[in-house]
Amino acid sequence: MPKMTFISPDGKRTEVDAPVGLSVLEIAHRNNIDLEGACEGSLACSTCHVIVSQEDYERLKDATEEEEDMLDLAFGLTHTSRLGCQIIMSEELDGLTVTLPAATRNMMVGD
Ligand code: FES
C-alpha cells in the first residue's frame, strides 16, 4: 500500500498508510491528523489546505478552476498549495509529503 507523510506546523512528521482512492483529507482523518476539512470535500471551504513539496506538486493532477478559486481564500497560500480533499491517492503518489499550514481561516460557523 502506498504511504504518505504529514508534516505538522511544528515540524513533526507522521508517516501513514495511504489507501488508493482515498483523498488526503480522508487519510488525515483516519489517522487523527489535524486537518479540518469543514465541508467534507465539497469544495466549499479551504480548511483542508495543505502545502505540497515542489517535487510532489508536479506529480499531482492540475487543480480545477473550482479548487483554485477556493485556494485563493486559503490563509497562508503558497505556490504549491492544494486542497487536501482534492488530492486522491494513487500508487504513483506513493511517498507524497504534505505540510499542514500554520493556521487556517475557518469560514464555516459552528460544526
Ligand atoms: S474540505 Fe472543504 S474544500 Fe476540501
Side-chain angles (χ1 to χ4, degrees), residues 31-32 86 94 100 102 107:
N31 293 282
N32 296 321
Q86 301 301 306
D94 186 27
L100 307 179
M107 294 178 301

Side-chain angles (χ1 to χ4, degrees), residues 1-107:
M1 184 186 300
K3 300 249 186 209
M4 67 166 293
T5 300
F6 290 94
I7 304 177
S8 63
D10 62 8
K12 188 167 143 265
R13 300 175 73 95
T14 310
E15 193 189 51
V16 299
D17 287 338
V20 170
L22 286 192
S23 70
V24 165
L25 177 66
E26 289 166 316
I27 295 166
H29 285 175
R30 284 190 166 200
N31 293 282
N32 296 321
I33 303 286
D34 196 15
L35 183 61
E36 193 178 320
C39 78
E40 288 169 8
S42 50
L43 273 179
C45 74
S46 57
T47 60
C48 62
H49 172 206
V50 294
I51 299 160
V52 183
S53 69
Q54 182 68 48
E55 186 187 312
D56 284 337
Y57 191 78
E58 282 154 22
R59 296 201 279 155
L60 298 177
K61 292 199 182 74
D62 288 344
T64 60
E65 216 166 294
E66 288 82 4
E67 181 180 346
E68 297 284 0
D69 286 350
M70 285 322 299
L71 271 172
D72 283 342
L73 304 172
F75 186 81
L77 186 68
T78 73
H79 59 276
T80 60
S81 288
R82 293 295 301 262
L83 293 178
C85 67
Q86 301 301 306
I87 303 174
I88 306 300
M89 203 59 206
S90 63
E91 292 287 349
E92 295 73 50
L93 290 180
D94 186 27
L96 178 72
T97 300
V98 304
T99 302
L100 307 179
T104 54
R105 181 171 56 189
N106 189 352
M107 294 178 301

